[in-house]
Amino acid sequence: MPCNSITAPLGEGFYREIVEQTEDLITIVDREGKILFVNKAAEKVYGHSQEECIDKPVFSFIHPDDSRKTQEAFQDWLARGLDSTTFENRQLSATGRVIHMYWTISFIRDDRGELKTVKGIARDITQLKEMESQLKQKSSELNKRVKELTCLYRLAEVVEEPGTDIPTIMTKAVQLLPSGWKYSNIASARIVIEGREYIAPGFNPSPWRISRRLMVNKEEIGEVEIYYHEKMPDADEGPFSKDERSLINAIAERLSRAWDRIRTQKLLKEHKDSLEELVAQRTAELEHKINEIEEREETITQQAVEIMELSTPVIQAWEGLVVVPMIGILDSQRTQQLLDRFLEQVVETKASIALMDITGVPTIDTQTAHHLIEAVTSARLLGTRVIITGVRASIAQTLVQLGVDLSWIETNSSLISGMRSAFRQLGYRISGGMSSGMEVPQ
């Protein structure tokens, strides 16, 4: 007849089997601290057999750095009359392996309250401790990145503040820059620009220094420096890390750009003031030239717009042919702006062939690649054939991964070969190479 419940008490062997098979370490220790019982887990934790552990002092297996602290804790628990408690410490195996253990112990007393034995169950938490250590390390690295980014963000606010000047920027910069460094509490900054020194209160130069020159158009205009007031552990560059080298490089670049921008604005303002003064002095006798001056200002404004557009030019290289040279990193926004102008130029020039050269583009992302394909397709619908030149291997892989049929798009390895192909398709014949001459169809 089937049995649906346990009707007989479980024997001692059943419980002993559970104790011996568990991976947790189970110990019974007498009041003198000697081991009375230990299960098979001792072989893994202590590196000794069960028999070898019997009558050994339980504290002899504790890591030397934790032994005194653990014994003092035991004395405190006994003095307070605790029945049970939990704690962590490290055990040292006979093989030299250090094992982190989480203990749950119970104090067994007789009828008079005297300690008889201490029962303990310990779990190996070494892997957990290692994960905690890795997490702390990653958290520390993240905190450093946050400090660096915060420093750069605050510096950006300073240099972009409307109406600010160089002395104001540099004075504020030397006060906020130390906050981006690992040991910010003992760091100070100095900026020297155009022979003028900017330092914060308490500045103290020392042998522990990291610096970066301030450069504008390959001309040195100054230097930014960070000092530690005390010797700190060595890293990649003295006490400074590679990330801190990157940080001071970024700071130097930002300060250099700010100086160049403000200097340019100042020169433009001085020029403008001079023009206005001259106009004011001669208004009475040169009134008829006002329209000419206004036209010049309009021309200057238009030239400024054209200069902005030079970063993404669309050039009509020949009748019926436009060339689009792309240089640098193409993000989605810049690519979209370029391609919009490209299509406008195709329509305006009625070009039958457009040559898109991406030799100067190191790589593109998937979204940018989609924009390029869309532009080529749009040009095709407008009756313009597009030739793409200078495709790198990495860009080719990105285009292929789009899963779009590209067999209808003509590509050439270089701009020269692309120009040859374009002129042939326009009906021109090149004689003796591009530099020798070209015959125009009659």
Side-chain angles (χ1 to χ4, degrees):
M1 183 172 66
C3 181
N4 297 323
S5 62
I6 298 176
T7 58
L10 298 174
E12 178 182 347
F14 175 80
Y15 295 106
R16 176 172 292 275
E17 184 178 359
I18 293 177
V19 169
E20 294 297 345
Q21 289 182 352
T22 182
E23 294 185 357
D24 292 341
L25 178 66
I26 300 177
T27 62
I28 299 178
V29 180
D30 66 15
R31 60 186 300 167
E32 303 299 328
K34 293 184 178 181
I35 297 176
L36 300 177
F37 170 80
V38 66
N39 66 344
K40 288 183 179 179
E43 297 177 2
K44 180 178 179 182
V45 176
Y46 295 148
H48 294 285
S49 66
Q50 292 172 274
E51 293 76 11
E52 291 173 331
C53 294
I54 300 301
D55 288 334
K56 294 285 180 64
V58 70
F59 291 107
S60 65
F61 296 106
I62 299 176
H63 191 284
D65 293 342
D66 291 355
S67 180
R68 180 177 178 181
K69 180 176 64 176
T70 304
Q71 293 184 60
E72 290 176 350
F74 259 85
Q75 295 300 322
D76 177 65
W77 297 329
L78 291 173
R80 288 191 288 155
L82 297 184
D83 292 328
S84 62
T85 190
T86 60
F87 67 97
E88 296 179 15
N89 68 5
R90 291 171 294 173
Q91 305 292 305
L92 184 61
S93 172
T95 61
R97 178 170 174 253
V98 177
I99 305 173
H100 291 262
M101 305 294 288
Y102 180 82
W103 290 86
T104 300
I105 61 172
S106 301
F107 300 96
I108 310 302
R109 294 178 172 83
D110 58 21
D111 294 339
R112 295 177 298 174
E114 297 292 333
L115 180 67
K116 293 175 57 180
T117 59
V118 179
K119 297 180 180 179
I121 301 177
R123 174 156 295 181
D124 184 347
I125 58 171
T126 304
Q127 186 175 6
L128 178 61
K129 286 294 183 180
E130 291 174 353
M131 293 174 62
E132 288 179 352
S133 176
Q134 293 173 4
L135 181 60
K136 287 180 180 179
Q137 183 177 358
K138 291 184 181 297
S139 177
S140 175
E141 291 296 323
L142 179 60
N143 287 336
K144 288 194 291 186
R145 298 294 83 75
V146 170
K147 288 178 64 176
E148 293 167 2
L149 291 175
T150 300
C151 177
L152 287 175
Y153 175 76
R154 292 175 60 194
L155 180 62
E157 289 182 324
V158 169
V159 300
E160 299 299 334
E161 184 177 349
T164 191
D165 55 21
I166 293 298
T168 300
I169 289 176
M170 301 306 164
T171 300
K172 292 182 178 180
V174 294
Q175 295 175 356
L176 70 87
L177 292 187
S179 65
W181 264 255
K182 181 177 181 180
Y183 306 108
S184 56
N185 59 318
I186 59 168
S188 59
R190 174 167 62 186
I191 299 174
V192 178
I193 189 166
E194 293 186 303
R196 181 173 177 180
E197 181 184 69
Y198 297 88
I199 58 176
F203 172 77
N204 182 24
S206 72
W208 309 291
R209 166 183 175 269
I210 188 171
S211 66
R212 178 71 175 184
R213 292 183 297 171
L214 303 179
M215 305 292 294
V216 173
N217 298 326
K218 298 183 179 180
E219 177 186 353
E220 183 176 350
I221 61 171
E223 188 174 33
V224 57
E225 304 167 295
I226 299 293
Y227 288 88
Y228 281 150
H229 302 162
E230 301 173 10
K231 180 174 176 57
M232 303 307 293
D234 285 340
D236 301 300
E237 190 174 336
F240 302 99
S241 67
K242 292 180 180 178
D243 294 321
E244 288 171 329
R245 164 54 63 188
S246 298
L247 176 60
I248 198 169
N249 290 349
I251 288 170
E253 182 180 354
R254 179 61 62 90
L255 293 176
S256 299
R257 289 204 308 264
W259 180 88
D260 188 39
R261 172 175 56 82
I262 293 174
R263 182 191 61 170
T264 302
Q265 291 174 346
K266 181 180 178 181
L267 292 175
L268 289 174
K269 185 179 184 302
E270 290 175 354
H271 181 63
K272 181 181 177 182
D273 292 344
S274 177
L275 286 176
E276 288 178 350
E277 182 180 354
L278 179 62
V279 170
Q281 293 173 353
R282 303 183 60 186
T283 297
E285 56 187 271
L286 300 175
E287 186 176 1
H288 63 280
K289 291 189 176 182
I290 293 178
N291 291 335
E292 180 182 348
I293 294 174
E294 292 177 347
E295 291 175 0
R296 288 178 180 176
E297 290 181 347
E298 183 179 351
T299 300
I300 291 173
T301 302
Q302 180 61 34
Q303 288 175 345
V305 173
E306 292 173 356
I307 289 173
M308 290 294 292
E309 293 178 349
L310 284 176
S311 62
T312 52
V314 179
I315 305 167
Q316 183 174 7
W318 202 267
E319 182 179 352
L321 172 64
V322 294
V323 178
V324 188
M326 299 182 179
I327 299 174
I329 301 298
L330 290 181
D331 55 23
S332 297
Q333 182 178 359
R334 182 182 175 210
T335 303
Q336 188 63 54
Q337 177 186 5
L338 171 62
L339 297 181
D340 288 344
R341 293 186 59 251
F342 162 64
L343 293 176
E344 290 174 3
Q345 191 74 355
V346 166
V347 173
E348 182 178 342
T349 62
K350 299 180 181 179
S352 57
I353 297 178
L355 198 153
M356 189 176 294
D357 181 60
I358 59 175
T359 303
V361 178
T363 185
I364 59 175
D365 57 27
T366 303
Q367 188 173 1
T368 301
H370 273 295
H371 288 322
L372 289 175
I373 298 302
E374 289 172 1
V376 174
T377 304
S378 299
R380 186 184 186 189
L381 293 175
L382 294 172
T384 301
R385 297 191 299 276
V386 178
I387 302 173
I388 300 178
T389 64
V391 180
R392 295 171 180 263
S394 59
I395 297 177
Q397 292 176 350
T398 302
L399 292 172
V400 170
Q401 290 172 359
L402 296 178
V404 179
D405 181 15
L406 304 177
S407 60
W408 55 274
I409 299 177
E410 180 179 348
T411 60
N412 279 272
S413 60
S414 66
L415 178 59
I416 292 178
S417 61
M419 293 287 285
R420 287 198 183 100
S421 176
F423 282 125
R424 282 197 299 269
Q425 294 181 45
L426 288 172
Y428 296 95
R429 185 168 65 86
I430 301 170
S431 59
M434 291 291 290
S435 61
S436 299
M438 183 169 59
E439 296 183 4
V440 181
Q442 300 298 321

